[in-house]
Amino acid sequence: MKIEACIFDLDGVIVDTAKYHYLAWKELAGEMGFVFTETHNERLKGVSRMASLDILLELGGISLDDEQKSKLATRKNNRYVSFIKKMSPREILPGVMQFLGELKAAGIKTAIGSASKNTPLILERLKLQSYFDAVIDGNKVLEAKPDPEVFLKGAKELNVPPGNCVVFEDAAAGVEAALNAGMVCIGVGLPQNLPGAHKVIGGFEHFRLVDLMNL
Ligand code: BG6
Ligand code: MG
């Protein structure tokens, strides 16, 4: 396989935003009178905002109509945004900048493929906007992962066949989406959480271009 492009999930791959999502969901759960734990939070990784809210309400045994749900989602997002607004490039995960630099030097294209509608703000805060040739996020797709839409759109914008793309993902639904797109997928995290990934790495600290080429 000739690797022509790497497509990166954002949350959990480039930056650890899960802690901010957790704080915001926890506050919301607290207001509704139930406890939301970090273990619960694991279930929300890679899941869209509204689907995350549905899981949260299910955990609390609460049922609401669409209007009430939309208000809650907005409240959670306002809180989340108040956290991510304060982020800085120091929060980019170890090894990421070096790996992106190696890809650029090798002429391999890069894209973001994220479910988050806050992607533009996060990339701005991390000063990463100019590092990606394409950014496909929750504002540009209709179908959530495991649907392959986000990654297929990324490949299309990069003008690279899906079969020549490698996806980096930290969530099971994202790994599935990459496989559904016909791409190679490298899981970032623990192998037991990322079934189907062609390879799983702990992060980019010890992952170099040569490791990608030896896949
Ligand atoms: C994903 C996160 O990247 O984006 C999920 O892993 C999050 O936890 C989803 O729910 C949607 O994010 P946002 O920023 O649009 O609420
Ligand atoms: Mg993720």
Side-chain angles (χ1 to χ4, degrees):
M1 172 208 177
K2 182 169 181 278
I3 299 169
E4 288 184 62
C6 287
I7 307 182
F8 297 83
D9 173 49
L10 176 64
D11 297 312
V13 170
I14 303 283
V15 66
D16 174 22
T17 42
K19 57 187 180 220
Y20 302 127
H21 279 296
Y22 172 61
L23 289 174
W25 287 125
K26 193 167 90 152
E27 273 190 55
L28 205 66
E31 284 166 17
M32 290 188 285
F34 64 95
V35 177
F36 178 69
T37 66
E38 284 196 61
T39 311
H40 291 144
N41 196 51
E42 284 301 306
R43 287 180 58 189
L44 309 189
K45 284 190 180 167
V47 177
S48 75
R49 193 181 306 167
M50 290 314 287
S52 298
L53 177 62
D54 284 334
I55 294 173
L56 186 90
L57 293 174
E58 183 201 307
L59 287 167
I62 294 167
S63 99
L64 298 174
D65 63 33
D66 284 351
E67 200 189 321
Q68 291 168 312
K69 284 207 271 187
S70 149
K71 276 191 189 145
L72 280 187
T74 302
R75 207 150 88 216
K76 180 268 172 179
N77 191 56
N78 289 343
R79 225 161 260 157
Y80 176 64
V81 167
S82 75
F83 295 126
I84 59 173
K85 263 196 337 214
K86 295 184 204 129
M87 285 198 311
S88 80
R90 274 179 314 202
E91 288 184 59
I92 297 169
L93 289 170
V96 167
M97 293 313 292
Q98 184 169 346
F99 188 60
L100 289 176
E102 284 192 315
L103 293 178
K104 194 156 195 77
I108 296 174
K109 294 179 182 171
T110 55
I112 289 285
S114 168
S116 173
K117 295 186 171 168
N118 292 300
T119 296
L121 172 62
I122 296 171
L123 291 179
E124 184 203 314
R125 292 304 309 158
L126 300 179
K127 298 205 190 322
L128 278 180
Q129 297 112 309
S130 63
Y131 283 82
F132 298 97
D133 302 304
V135 175
I136 310 296
D137 63 24
N139 303 294
K140 294 188 183 167
V141 294
L142 296 172
E143 302 298 332
K145 298 170 188 177
D147 189 282
E149 185 186 7
V150 66
F151 295 134
L152 290 175
K153 277 202 165 146
K156 196 164 177 206
E157 212 165 300
L158 295 175
N159 206 14
V160 171
N164 294 354
C165 295
V166 176
V167 168
F168 291 87
E169 253 296 345
D170 74 314
V175 172
E176 224 184 300
L179 300 183
N180 287 339
M183 299 178 178
V184 167
C185 186
I186 301 188
V188 183
L190 300 171
Q192 61 266 35
N193 296 336
L194 301 163
H198 294 92
K199 181 184 170 75
V200 178
I201 60 174
F204 291 94
E205 228 168 346
H206 306 292
F207 191 74
R208 292 284 162 270
L209 183 62
V210 53
D211 303 309
L212 181 70
M213 292 309 176
N214 289 337
L215 269 184

